[in-house]
Amino acid sequence: MKVSVKVPATSANIGPGFDCMGLALPIYNIVTVEETVLPGTGIDINILSGDLDDLSLDQIPLDENSIIYKAIEVLYNSIGQTPSELRITVNTSIPLTKGLGSSSSVIVGGLIAANELLGRPADKAALLSIATEIEGHPDNVTPAIVGGLVIASQEDDGSVIYRKINWPDEWQITVCIPDFELSTDIARSVLPQEVPLKDAIFNVQRVGLFIEAVNAKDADLMKVALKDRLHQPYRTKLVPGLSEITENLRHEDNVLGCVLSGAGPSLLVFSHKNSLDKIKSIVRDTWSQMNVKADIRTLPVEQNGAVVLQQDD
Ligand code: HSE
C-alpha cells in the first residue's frame, strides 16, 4: 500500500506570536510512504528536489535518524507496532533551513501517511498533539495540518488548542527568501531562557492587538501589533539585512510591517496591494548590497492544510 500527502509550507511567529501563531503558504512538499512487499528491505528514504536547486538537501539524514522516520515511528509505536519495511519519498518544493516550515511539513506528511497506512488510528487532535510533541511547538505544524492563519497552544496534557483567524484578502504577504541558510537549532540557541517582564508584557499586548487588527482590518493597529521583543532582537545578528530592510521599509506608508518568518532567515512583508514592486525592489536592493540574492514572492494564505493525494493498494 502507498499513500501520498501534500503539505503546505508555513511561516511561524508573525511578529509577536512567538511559538504560537503561524500561517500556511501555497508552496508544498509531497510525502509518499509505501509499504514495500519484499521482507527485509528495511527503511528506504529518498529526497527528490521538486523545483528546488538546493544543496542543503544533501545534509538530510536518510536513515532512522531522519525526522520523517521518527514521526512515522512514533505513530507506529502508539499502536504497539514498529515500522520495518517502508519506502519514504519526499518531493520537496519548500526551501530547507529558510524558516518556511520544511521540517514541520515532513513530520506532518509522514504522520498523516503512516496514519492512513495503519487504518487511521489517530484523529486530527491526536495528530496535532503528536506533531507538536515532535516539533517542540505548535506554530508550524498546526497550520501545516489545518491550513490558514492560526493561533495555537499546547496544554499540559499534550493537547493542542487552536483557532483559525481570517486574514484580510486586501493585505498582501510578500515572502522574501535569501540565498543563505539559518538552522532553527542555531536560531533558538541564541534565545535567552528568561526574558524581562516588560518584554513579555510587550508581546502579550501585541498578540491581543494583532487579533483585533486582523479582525477589524485595522492597518494602523497592525503596524503596532507586528512588533516583537521575544525573539527577533536576539536573532537580528544571525540575519544579515534584517535591520536594514526593516528600516528601509519603515518609511513606506503601504507597508504594515516586516517580520522574520519563523526562526528566519526568510522575511515576511505585510502591505497594502499598491507599492508591491517598490517593496520588492527595496528588499532586493538592500540584500544585494550585502551580496545576498533573494527569491521574493507575493503569496496568499493557503486555506487548506495537508491533504491525502493518493492511496494505492
Ligand atoms: N517558533 C519557532 C521559532 C519557529 O521561532 O523558533 C521555528 O521552528
Side-chain angles (χ1 to χ4, degrees), residues 165-204:
I165 309 162
N166 286 324
W167 181 257
D169 287 340
E170 56 268 48
W171 288 355
Q172 305 295 296
I173 303 173
T174 300
V175 184
C176 311
I177 311 167
D179 65 356
F180 59 88
E181 296 169 0
L182 175 57
S183 87
T184 300
D185 286 349
I186 292 174
R188 287 186 87 83
S189 74
V190 299
L191 302 180
Q193 289 305 305
E194 291 176 7
V195 294
L197 182 62
K198 65 178 172 34
D199 290 350
I201 293 168
F202 182 92
N203 270 56
V204 171

mmCIF file of all heavy atoms in Angstrom, residues 165-204:
data_model
loop_
_atom_site.group_PDB
_atom_site.id
_atom_site.type_symbol
_atom_site.label_atom_id
_atom_site.label_comp_id
_atom_site.label_asym_id
_atom_site.label_seq_id
_atom_site.Cartn_x
_atom_site.Cartn_y
_atom_site.Cartn_z
ATOM 1 N N ILE A 165 -7.878 32.311 12.237
ATOM 2 C CA ILE A 165 -8.229 33.732 12.160
ATOM 3 C C ILE A 165 -8.253 34.087 10.674
ATOM 4 O O ILE A 165 -7.357 33.661 9.925
ATOM 5 C CB ILE A 165 -7.145 34.585 12.862
ATOM 6 C CG1 ILE A 165 -6.861 34.052 14.274
ATOM 7 C CG2 ILE A 165 -7.540 36.047 12.903
ATOM 8 C CD1 ILE A 165 -5.540 34.536 14.837
ATOM 9 N N ASN A 166 -9.259 34.835 10.243
ATOM 10 C CA ASN A 166 -9.336 35.190 8.817
ATOM 11 C C ASN A 166 -8.380 36.316 8.471
ATOM 12 O O ASN A 166 -8.486 37.412 9.027
ATOM 13 C CB ASN A 166 -10.757 35.628 8.449
ATOM 14 C CG ASN A 166 -11.670 34.434 8.386
ATOM 15 O OD1 ASN A 166 -11.255 33.350 7.963
ATOM 16 N ND2 ASN A 166 -12.898 34.623 8.828
ATOM 17 N N TRP A 167 -7.452 36.030 7.575
ATOM 18 C CA TRP A 167 -6.517 37.066 7.116
ATOM 19 C C TRP A 167 -7.236 37.932 6.067
ATOM 20 O O TRP A 167 -7.831 37.396 5.136
ATOM 21 C CB TRP A 167 -5.283 36.396 6.500
ATOM 22 C CG TRP A 167 -4.260 37.376 6.014
ATOM 23 C CD1 TRP A 167 -4.029 37.746 4.729
ATOM 24 C CD2 TRP A 167 -3.337 38.106 6.821
ATOM 25 N NE1 TRP A 167 -3.021 38.673 4.685
ATOM 26 C CE2 TRP A 167 -2.574 38.916 5.949
ATOM 27 C CE3 TRP A 167 -3.087 38.178 8.199
ATOM 28 C CZ2 TRP A 167 -1.579 39.767 6.412
ATOM 29 C CZ3 TRP A 167 -2.093 39.026 8.654
ATOM 30 C CH2 TRP A 167 -1.356 39.810 7.767
ATOM 31 N N PRO A 168 -7.188 39.272 6.191
ATOM 32 C CA PRO A 168 -7.871 40.112 5.202
ATOM 33 C C PRO A 168 -7.263 39.933 3.801
ATOM 34 O O PRO A 168 -6.046 40.058 3.643
ATOM 35 C CB PRO A 168 -7.613 41.539 5.710
ATOM 36 C CG PRO A 168 -7.213 41.396 7.143
ATOM 37 C CD PRO A 168 -6.555 40.067 7.269
ATOM 38 N N ASP A 169 -8.113 39.644 2.805
ATOM 39 C CA ASP A 169 -7.616 39.423 1.436
ATOM 40 C C ASP A 169 -6.839 40.618 0.907
ATOM 41 O O ASP A 169 -5.941 40.481 0.089
ATOM 42 C CB ASP A 169 -8.794 39.179 0.472
ATOM 43 C CG ASP A 169 -9.378 37.804 0.692
ATOM 44 O OD1 ASP A 169 -8.657 36.957 1.265
ATOM 45 O OD2 ASP A 169 -10.538 37.589 0.306
ATOM 46 N N GLU A 170 -7.226 41.811 1.378
ATOM 47 C CA GLU A 170 -6.583 43.004 0.809
ATOM 48 C C GLU A 170 -5.176 43.252 1.358
ATOM 49 O O GLU A 170 -4.455 44.091 0.846
ATOM 50 C CB GLU A 170 -7.456 44.251 1.006
ATOM 51 C CG GLU A 170 -7.848 44.552 2.434
ATOM 52 C CD GLU A 170 -9.191 43.922 2.829
ATOM 53 O OE1 GLU A 170 -9.387 42.717 2.553
ATOM 54 O OE2 GLU A 170 -10.021 44.632 3.412
ATOM 55 N N TRP A 171 -4.771 42.503 2.367
ATOM 56 C CA TRP A 171 -3.405 42.651 2.884
ATOM 57 C C TRP A 171 -2.495 41.619 2.224
ATOM 58 O O TRP A 171 -2.747 40.409 2.309
ATOM 59 C CB TRP A 171 -3.371 42.471 4.403
ATOM 60 C CG TRP A 171 -3.983 43.625 5.144
ATOM 61 C CD1 TRP A 171 -4.456 44.793 4.617
ATOM 62 C CD2 TRP A 171 -4.204 43.718 6.554
ATOM 63 N NE1 TRP A 171 -4.957 45.602 5.605
ATOM 64 C CE2 TRP A 171 -4.809 44.971 6.806
ATOM 65 C CE3 TRP A 171 -3.938 42.879 7.636
ATOM 66 C CZ2 TRP A 171 -5.158 45.391 8.089
ATOM 67 C CZ3 TRP A 171 -4.282 43.295 8.914
ATOM 68 C CH2 TRP A 171 -4.882 44.544 9.128
ATOM 69 N N GLN A 172 -1.455 42.102 1.589
ATOM 70 C CA GLN A 172 -0.557 41.229 0.833
ATOM 71 C C GLN A 172 0.565 40.680 1.719
ATOM 72 O O GLN A 172 1.026 41.365 2.639
ATOM 73 C CB GLN A 172 0.086 42.019 -0.316
ATOM 74 C CG GLN A 172 -0.920 42.678 -1.219
ATOM 75 C CD GLN A 172 -1.753 41.653 -1.956
ATOM 76 O OE1 GLN A 172 -1.230 40.901 -2.753
ATOM 77 N NE2 GLN A 172 -3.047 41.616 -1.686
ATOM 78 N N ILE A 173 0.970 39.469 1.398
ATOM 79 C CA ILE A 173 2.086 38.849 2.125
ATOM 80 C C ILE A 173 3.196 38.589 1.114
ATOM 81 O O ILE A 173 3.022 37.823 0.161
ATOM 82 C CB ILE A 173 1.651 37.526 2.771
ATOM 83 C CG1 ILE A 173 0.462 37.771 3.709
ATOM 84 C CG2 ILE A 173 2.820 36.882 3.515
ATOM 85 C CD1 ILE A 173 -0.154 36.499 4.264
ATOM 86 N N THR A 174 4.317 39.257 1.306
ATOM 87 C CA THR A 174 5.451 39.050 0.398
ATOM 88 C C THR A 174 6.532 38.268 1.150
ATOM 89 O O THR A 174 7.023 38.710 2.188
ATOM 90 C CB THR A 174 5.979 40.399 -0.132
ATOM 91 O OG1 THR A 174 4.891 41.039 -0.841
ATOM 92 C CG2 THR A 174 7.142 40.195 -1.077
ATOM 93 N N VAL A 175 6.824 37.092 0.618
ATOM 94 C CA VAL A 175 7.779 36.184 1.257
ATOM 95 C C VAL A 175 9.137 36.423 0.609
ATOM 96 O O VAL A 175 9.275 36.304 -0.612
ATOM 97 C CB VAL A 175 7.343 34.716 1.050
ATOM 98 C CG1 VAL A 175 8.265 33.758 1.783
ATOM 99 C CG2 VAL A 175 5.900 34.517 1.498
ATOM 100 N N CYS A 176 10.123 36.779 1.420
ATOM 101 C CA CYS A 176 11.446 37.132 0.894
ATOM 102 C C CYS A 176 12.444 36.095 1.397
ATOM 103 O O CYS A 176 12.713 36.018 2.603
ATOM 104 C CB CYS A 176 11.854 38.517 1.385
ATOM 105 S SG CYS A 176 10.558 39.765 1.138
ATOM 106 N N ILE A 177 12.967 35.278 0.476
ATOM 107 C CA ILE A 177 13.812 34.139 0.858
ATOM 108 C C ILE A 177 15.246 34.417 0.409
ATOM 109 O O ILE A 177 15.533 34.422 -0.797
ATOM 110 C CB ILE A 177 13.292 32.843 0.180
ATOM 111 C CG1 ILE A 177 11.775 32.694 0.376
ATOM 112 C CG2 ILE A 177 14.041 31.627 0.695
ATOM 113 C CD1 ILE A 177 11.118 31.636 -0.514
ATOM 114 N N PRO A 178 16.160 34.667 1.350
ATOM 115 C CA PRO A 178 17.541 34.955 0.953
ATOM 116 C C PRO A 178 18.282 33.672 0.571
ATOM 117 O O PRO A 178 17.829 32.570 0.906
ATOM 118 C CB PRO A 178 18.139 35.566 2.226
ATOM 119 C CG PRO A 178 17.409 34.909 3.339
ATOM 120 C CD PRO A 178 16.001 34.647 2.827
ATOM 121 N N ASP A 179 19.448 33.832 -0.075
ATOM 122 C CA ASP A 179 20.165 32.624 -0.503
ATOM 123 C C ASP A 179 21.106 32.076 0.574
ATOM 124 O O ASP A 179 21.923 31.226 0.294
ATOM 125 C CB ASP A 179 20.922 32.882 -1.814
ATOM 126 C CG ASP A 179 22.031 33.903 -1.654
ATOM 127 O OD1 ASP A 179 22.186 34.483 -0.560
ATOM 128 O OD2 ASP A 179 22.755 34.126 -2.646
ATOM 129 N N PHE A 180 20.984 32.571 1.811
ATOM 130 C CA PHE A 180 21.769 31.945 2.892
ATOM 131 C C PHE A 180 20.826 31.188 3.819
ATOM 132 O O PHE A 180 19.610 31.394 3.796
ATOM 133 C CB PHE A 180 22.602 32.985 3.666
ATOM 134 C CG PHE A 180 21.803 34.090 4.316
ATOM 135 C CD1 PHE A 180 21.286 33.949 5.595
ATOM 136 C CD2 PHE A 180 21.568 35.286 3.646
ATOM 137 C CE1 PHE A 180 20.554 34.957 6.194
ATOM 138 C CE2 PHE A 180 20.839 36.310 4.232
ATOM 139 C CZ PHE A 180 20.338 36.148 5.503
ATOM 140 N N GLU A 181 21.425 30.271 4.597
ATOM 141 C CA GLU A 181 20.604 29.401 5.449
ATOM 142 C C GLU A 181 20.754 29.766 6.921
ATOM 143 O O GLU A 181 21.752 30.365 7.307
ATOM 144 C CB GLU A 181 21.060 27.947 5.279
ATOM 145 C CG GLU A 181 20.853 27.429 3.888
ATOM 146 C CD GLU A 181 21.551 26.096 3.689
ATOM 147 O OE1 GLU A 181 22.177 25.592 4.636
ATOM 148 O OE2 GLU A 181 21.464 25.585 2.567
ATOM 149 N N LEU A 182 19.774 29.369 7.718
ATOM 150 C CA LEU A 182 19.892 29.515 9.175
ATOM 151 C C LEU A 182 19.135 28.348 9.792
ATOM 152 O O LEU A 182 17.925 28.209 9.573
ATOM 153 C CB LEU A 182 19.279 30.857 9.618
ATOM 154 C CG LEU A 182 19.209 31.116 11.122
ATOM 155 C CD1 LEU A 182 20.584 31.021 11.775
ATOM 156 C CD2 LEU A 182 18.607 32.498 11.395
ATOM 157 N N SER A 183 19.851 27.504 10.521
ATOM 158 C CA SER A 183 19.140 26.363 11.103
ATOM 159 C C SER A 183 18.335 26.819 12.318
ATOM 160 O O SER A 183 18.751 27.724 13.049
ATOM 161 C CB SER A 183 20.119 25.252 11.502
ATOM 162 O OG SER A 183 20.600 25.484 12.796
ATOM 163 N N THR A 184 17.187 26.187 12.501
ATOM 164 C CA THR A 184 16.332 26.550 13.641
ATOM 165 C C THR A 184 17.072 26.304 14.956
ATOM 166 O O THR A 184 16.936 27.082 15.899
ATOM 167 C CB THR A 184 15.022 25.747 13.589
ATOM 168 O OG1 THR A 184 14.355 26.056 12.366
ATOM 169 C CG2 THR A 184 14.096 26.103 14.739
ATOM 170 N N ASP A 185 17.884 25.240 15.010
ATOM 171 C CA ASP A 185 18.620 24.964 16.257
ATOM 172 C C ASP A 185 19.515 26.136 16.627
ATOM 173 O O ASP A 185 19.559 26.556 17.789
ATOM 174 C CB ASP A 185 19.475 23.694 16.100
ATOM 175 C CG ASP A 185 18.611 22.447 16.124
ATOM 176 O OD1 ASP A 185 17.416 22.568 16.464
ATOM 177 O OD2 ASP A 185 19.125 21.363 15.801
ATOM 178 N N ILE A 186 20.224 26.673 15.644
ATOM 179 C CA ILE A 186 21.102 27.819 15.934
ATOM 180 C C ILE A 186 20.253 29.033 16.311
ATOM 181 O O ILE A 186 20.532 29.728 17.286
ATOM 182 C CB ILE A 186 22.009 28.128 14.722
ATOM 183 C CG1 ILE A 186 23.016 26.981 14.542
ATOM 184 C CG2 ILE A 186 22.734 29.469 14.899
ATOM 185 C CD1 ILE A 186 23.871 27.073 13.311
ATOM 186 N N ALA A 187 19.171 29.256 15.558
ATOM 187 C CA ALA A 187 18.329 30.441 15.825
ATOM 188 C C ALA A 187 17.651 30.346 17.190
ATOM 189 O O ALA A 187 17.331 31.369 17.804
ATOM 190 C CB ALA A 187 17.297 30.611 14.715
ATOM 191 N N ARG A 188 17.425 29.143 17.702
ATOM 192 C CA ARG A 188 16.836 29.001 19.048
ATOM 193 C C ARG A 188 17.921 29.080 20.121
ATOM 194 O O ARG A 188 17.658 29.491 21.245
ATOM 195 C CB ARG A 188 16.034 27.694 19.186
ATOM 196 C CG ARG A 188 14.705 27.729 18.430
ATOM 197 C CD ARG A 188 13.865 26.499 18.679
ATOM 198 N NE ARG A 188 13.007 26.568 19.849
ATOM 199 C CZ ARG A 188 11.804 27.140 19.917
ATOM 200 N NH1 ARG A 188 11.283 27.734 18.863
ATOM 201 N NH2 ARG A 188 11.098 27.132 21.023
ATOM 202 N N SER A 189 19.158 28.709 19.745
ATOM 203 C CA SER A 189 20.216 28.688 20.758
ATOM 204 C C SER A 189 20.582 30.100 21.231
ATOM 205 O O SER A 189 21.149 30.248 22.311
ATOM 206 C CB SER A 189 21.459 27.975 20.218
ATOM 207 O OG SER A 189 22.112 28.806 19.284
ATOM 208 N N VAL A 190 20.275 31.123 20.431
ATOM 209 C CA VAL A 190 20.638 32.492 20.846
ATOM 210 C C VAL A 190 19.554 33.137 21.726
ATOM 211 O O VAL A 190 19.719 34.259 22.196
ATOM 212 C CB VAL A 190 20.926 33.404 19.623
ATOM 213 C CG1 VAL A 190 22.090 32.872 18.807
ATOM 214 C CG2 VAL A 190 19.681 33.587 18.754
ATOM 215 N N LEU A 191 18.440 32.418 21.914
ATOM 216 C CA LEU A 191 17.360 32.996 22.729
ATOM 217 C C LEU A 191 17.645 32.784 24.211
ATOM 218 O O LEU A 191 18.136 31.721 24.608
ATOM 219 C CB LEU A 191 16.017 32.350 22.369
ATOM 220 C CG LEU A 191 15.597 32.459 20.906
ATOM 221 C CD1 LEU A 191 14.242 31.773 20.703
ATOM 222 C CD2 LEU A 191 15.523 33.913 20.459
ATOM 223 N N PRO A 192 17.331 33.784 25.047
ATOM 224 C CA PRO A 192 17.558 33.613 26.490
ATOM 225 C C PRO A 192 16.501 32.682 27.084
ATOM 226 O O PRO A 192 15.403 32.547 26.539
ATOM 227 C CB PRO A 192 17.392 35.033 27.030
ATOM 228 C CG PRO A 192 16.479 35.697 26.057
ATOM 229 C CD PRO A 192 16.733 35.077 24.715
ATOM 230 N N GLN A 193 16.835 32.031 28.187
ATOM 231 C CA GLN A 193 15.866 31.173 28.880
ATOM 232 C C GLN A 193 14.834 32.011 29.629
ATOM 233 O O GLN A 193 13.731 31.564 29.886
ATOM 234 C CB GLN A 193 16.582 30.250 29.876
ATOM 235 C CG GLN A 193 17.395 29.155 29.201
ATOM 236 C CD GLN A 193 16.548 28.321 28.248
ATOM 237 O OE1 GLN A 193 15.525 27.783 28.632
ATOM 238 N NE2 GLN A 193 16.966 28.245 26.987
ATOM 239 N N GLU A 194 15.231 33.227 30.001
ATOM 240 C CA GLU A 194 14.301 34.115 30.709
ATOM 241 C C GLU A 194 14.330 35.480 30.033
ATOM 242 O O GLU A 194 15.375 35.895 29.529
ATOM 243 C CB GLU A 194 14.723 34.271 32.172
ATOM 244 C CG GLU A 194 14.535 32.978 32.946
ATOM 245 C CD GLU A 194 15.041 33.067 34.374
ATOM 246 O OE1 GLU A 194 15.419 34.164 34.816
ATOM 247 O OE2 GLU A 194 15.063 32.013 35.019
ATOM 248 N N VAL A 195 13.164 36.148 30.016
ATOM 249 C CA VAL A 195 13.114 37.474 29.388
ATOM 250 C C VAL A 195 12.599 38.481 30.408
ATOM 251 O O VAL A 195 11.889 38.114 31.347
ATOM 252 C CB VAL A 195 12.176 37.471 28.146
ATOM 253 C CG1 VAL A 195 12.729 36.592 27.048
ATOM 254 C CG2 VAL A 195 10.760 37.065 28.518
ATOM 255 N N PRO A 196 12.942 39.760 30.219
ATOM 256 C CA PRO A 196 12.420 40.780 31.139
ATOM 257 C C PRO A 196 10.889 40.808 31.099
ATOM 258 O O PRO A 196 10.283 40.652 30.026
ATOM 259 C CB PRO A 196 12.996 42.086 30.579
ATOM 260 C CG PRO A 196 14.182 41.666 29.767
ATOM 261 C CD PRO A 196 13.862 40.312 29.221
ATOM 262 N N LEU A 197 10.287 41.017 32.265
ATOM 263 C CA LEU A 197 8.826 41.046 32.351
ATOM 264 C C LEU A 197 8.239 42.071 31.376
ATOM 265 O O LEU A 197 7.225 41.825 30.727
ATOM 266 C CB LEU A 197 8.412 41.369 33.796
ATOM 267 C CG LEU A 197 6.912 41.399 34.060
ATOM 268 C CD1 LEU A 197 6.266 40.042 33.789
ATOM 269 C CD2 LEU A 197 6.620 41.843 35.499
ATOM 270 N N LYS A 198 8.914 43.217 31.221
ATOM 271 C CA LYS A 198 8.357 44.261 30.342
ATOM 272 C C LYS A 198 8.324 43.782 28.878
ATOM 273 O O LYS A 198 7.443 44.171 28.116
ATOM 274 C CB LYS A 198 9.101 45.586 30.496
ATOM 275 C CG LYS A 198 10.544 45.578 30.075
ATOM 276 C CD LYS A 198 11.137 46.986 30.253
ATOM 277 C CE LYS A 198 12.636 47.067 30.051
ATOM 278 N NZ LYS A 198 13.259 46.205 29.083
ATOM 279 N N ASP A 199 9.271 42.915 28.502
ATOM 280 C CA ASP A 199 9.254 42.394 27.126
ATOM 281 C C ASP A 199 8.130 41.368 26.950
ATOM 282 O O ASP A 199 7.476 41.321 25.906
ATOM 283 C CB ASP A 199 10.599 41.748 26.774
ATOM 284 C CG ASP A 199 11.704 42.794 26.633
ATOM 285 O OD1 ASP A 199 11.385 44.006 26.614
ATOM 286 O OD2 ASP A 199 12.877 42.406 26.536
ATOM 287 N N ALA A 200 7.910 40.544 27.978
ATOM 288 C CA ALA A 200 6.798 39.584 27.922
ATOM 289 C C ALA A 200 5.473 40.350 27.814
ATOM 290 O O ALA A 200 4.605 40.004 26.999
ATOM 291 C CB ALA A 200 6.808 38.691 29.159
ATOM 292 N N ILE A 201 5.344 41.403 28.613
ATOM 293 C CA ILE A 201 4.111 42.218 28.575
ATOM 294 C C ILE A 201 3.945 42.846 27.188
ATOM 295 O O ILE A 201 2.851 42.836 26.609
ATOM 296 C CB ILE A 201 4.151 43.321 29.665
ATOM 297 C CG1 ILE A 201 4.103 42.676 31.053
ATOM 298 C CG2 ILE A 201 3.014 44.324 29.481
ATOM 299 C CD1 ILE A 201 4.415 43.636 32.189
ATOM 300 N N PHE A 202 5.056 43.352 26.631
ATOM 301 C CA PHE A 202 5.018 43.979 25.299
ATOM 302 C C PHE A 202 4.427 43.006 24.280
ATOM 303 O O PHE A 202 3.530 43.358 23.510
ATOM 304 C CB PHE A 202 6.452 44.380 24.907
ATOM 305 C CG PHE A 202 6.577 45.073 23.579
ATOM 306 C CD1 PHE A 202 6.526 46.461 23.491
ATOM 307 C CD2 PHE A 202 6.768 44.346 22.411
ATOM 308 C CE1 PHE A 202 6.647 47.105 22.258
ATOM 309 C CE2 PHE A 202 6.893 44.985 21.178
ATOM 310 C CZ PHE A 202 6.837 46.366 21.107
ATOM 311 N N ASN A 203 4.909 41.743 24.301
ATOM 312 C CA ASN A 203 4.417 40.782 23.304
ATOM 313 C C ASN A 203 2.976 40.347 23.567
ATOM 314 O O ASN A 203 2.198 40.174 22.627
ATOM 315 C CB ASN A 203 5.344 39.558 23.229
ATOM 316 C CG ASN A 203 6.445 39.770 22.210
ATOM 317 O OD1 ASN A 203 7.181 40.747 22.307
ATOM 318 N ND2 ASN A 203 6.558 38.892 21.231
ATOM 319 N N VAL A 204 2.620 40.178 24.851
ATOM 320 C CA VAL A 204 1.227 39.822 25.165
ATOM 321 C C VAL A 204 0.298 40.913 24.624
ATOM 322 O O VAL A 204 -0.738 40.626 24.008
ATOM 323 C CB VAL A 204 1.037 39.650 26.693
ATOM 324 C CG1 VAL A 204 -0.439 39.513 27.039
ATOM 325 C CG2 VAL A 204 1.811 38.450 27.208
#
